[in-house]
Amino acid sequence: MRYLLDHLDAVKELLTLRPLGLITDIDGTISDIAATPEAAVVSPICREKLADLTQRLDLVAAISGRPAAAARDMVGVDGMVYVGNHGLERWRDGAVEYVAGAEKHRAKVKEALERIRELLPLECVILEDKGVSLSIHYRLCPDVQEVRQLVLSKVATVDVLTDFRVCEGKMVVELRPAIDVGKGVAVRSLVERYKLRSGLYLGDDVTDTDAFEAMHEAGFRGAAIAVLGEESPDGLRRSADFTLNGVSDVERFLAWLAAASARPA
């Protein structure tokens, strides 16, 4: 797989095809993975360069597993589009807008959280209420594989979750409504809405491979960029066009992109 910083000419070619969009994941991409969701912080350099790029590209967006409002607060760049809950919601005009059928699951999420607290009374497990979905983090547990299996087995017994999908990420089990929406669908929606001819997508986890596929569809020129780290899932590298090594490389790339897009292509 090609290391992106050694192949920037390929990105220069994309800069000649406008409208062009830059879409990025947040955690593990522009923010280092932290022990808890609350402890994660977006790189100040990434934030600065993303703000610059909103003035130079046709679209700059973040697609996150976090709620859209939380993603907006975390990144803090005006002019960006924020898509949350893996595509189930979007921050628009100062409010959250849900895809059809998502919001009705809020009550089920509340009920499921209470039930899971009873089934998993472990201090090392963090339950995250994300409104229309929920996440169970086990990164702080001494034996992560044992707790992962326990989480999966307990979740399977919660009746209210029968119409939810069980998905996994880095040290997390995510429960999402069984709606045919993911990061790939979210990318396609942005491509259509902003009439993009080309784009760049940066991501670090298994959920981002769906978005990588959207970068490779007919009639569109895109580059899928895998941000690699110690916890990179199997298949991430294989489904990408280029790789970067961690958030520090993303900082370098965004700085280069801001400078390159400021010049005539």
Side-chain angles (χ1 to χ4, degrees):
M1 187 52 59
R2 295 179 293 175
Y3 178 56
L4 181 59
L5 297 183
D6 289 338
H7 294 276
L8 293 173
D9 284 347
V11 179
K12 286 182 180 179
E13 292 181 18
L14 291 181
L15 290 176
T16 67
L17 295 174
R18 299 296 183 101
L20 178 146
L22 169 68
I23 307 171
T24 182
D25 175 50
I26 298 177
D27 292 274
T29 302
I30 58 173
S31 167
D32 286 318
I33 296 293
T36 65
E38 295 80 9
V41 177
V42 169
S43 152
I45 294 175
C46 288
R47 179 181 290 112
E48 175 189 346
K49 299 308 174 184
L50 288 169
D52 288 347
L53 287 163
T54 62
Q55 305 301 313
R56 298 171 184 177
L57 303 182
D58 304 284
L59 169 71
V60 179
I63 301 180
S64 176
R66 294 175 182 262
R72 180 187 179 280
D73 290 343
M74 184 175 179
V75 179
V77 174
D78 293 333
M80 283 183 61
V81 173
Y82 296 95
V83 179
N85 263 310
H86 301 282
L88 291 170
E89 58 183 68
R90 186 173 70 172
W91 179 267
R92 183 176 182 180
D93 298 330
V96 174
E97 178 182 273
Y98 296 95
V99 301
E103 194 169 10
K104 69 180 183 181
H105 290 82
R106 295 177 68 89
K108 292 181 179 180
V109 168
K110 295 291 186 185
E111 185 178 345
L113 278 167
E114 292 305 314
R115 181 69 181 129
I116 292 170
R117 284 194 182 95
E118 297 172 358
L119 295 172
L120 293 168
L122 302 174
E123 291 186 4
C124 63
V125 171
I126 297 174
L127 303 182
E128 185 182 8
D129 182 350
K130 300 196 293 187
V132 296
S133 73
L134 62 99
S135 293
I136 306 169
H137 301 268
Y138 53 87
R139 178 177 299 277
L140 298 178
C141 296
D143 189 335
V144 293
Q145 289 306 319
E146 179 180 343
V147 175
R148 171 182 172 269
Q149 292 296 334
L150 178 64
V151 169
L152 291 172
S153 65
K154 295 298 184 182
V155 163
T157 69
V158 180
D159 292 342
V160 73
L161 293 173
T162 54
D163 60 346
F164 280 66
R165 291 183 296 169
V166 179
C167 308
E168 294 191 69
K170 293 179 178 179
M171 307 290 182
V172 62
V173 173
E174 298 182 321
L175 304 163
R176 305 177 207 151
I179 299 173
D180 189 20
V181 173
K183 289 188 175 182
V185 172
V187 167
R188 294 180 188 99
S189 177
L190 291 172
V191 169
E192 181 179 354
R193 180 179 292 272
Y194 291 90
K195 304 185 185 307
L196 301 181
R197 295 179 62 204
S198 61
L200 305 160
Y201 185 95
L202 296 95
D204 76 303
D205 209 345
V206 64
T207 57
D208 296 302
T209 60
D210 189 31
F212 287 178
E213 292 179 8
M215 287 286 107
H216 299 145
E217 295 187 344
F220 181 79
R221 285 282 303 279
I225 304 163
V227 181
L228 303 178
E230 293 181 358
E231 299 175 8
S232 295
D234 294 339
L236 182 73
R237 183 193 297 265
R238 291 194 302 272
S239 60
D241 301 303
F242 302 98
T243 63
L244 291 171
N245 296 320
V247 176
S248 60
D249 265 5
V250 176
E251 293 173 342
R252 293 171 61 194
F253 173 64
L254 293 180
W256 174 87
L257 185 61
S261 58
R263 300 190 296 267

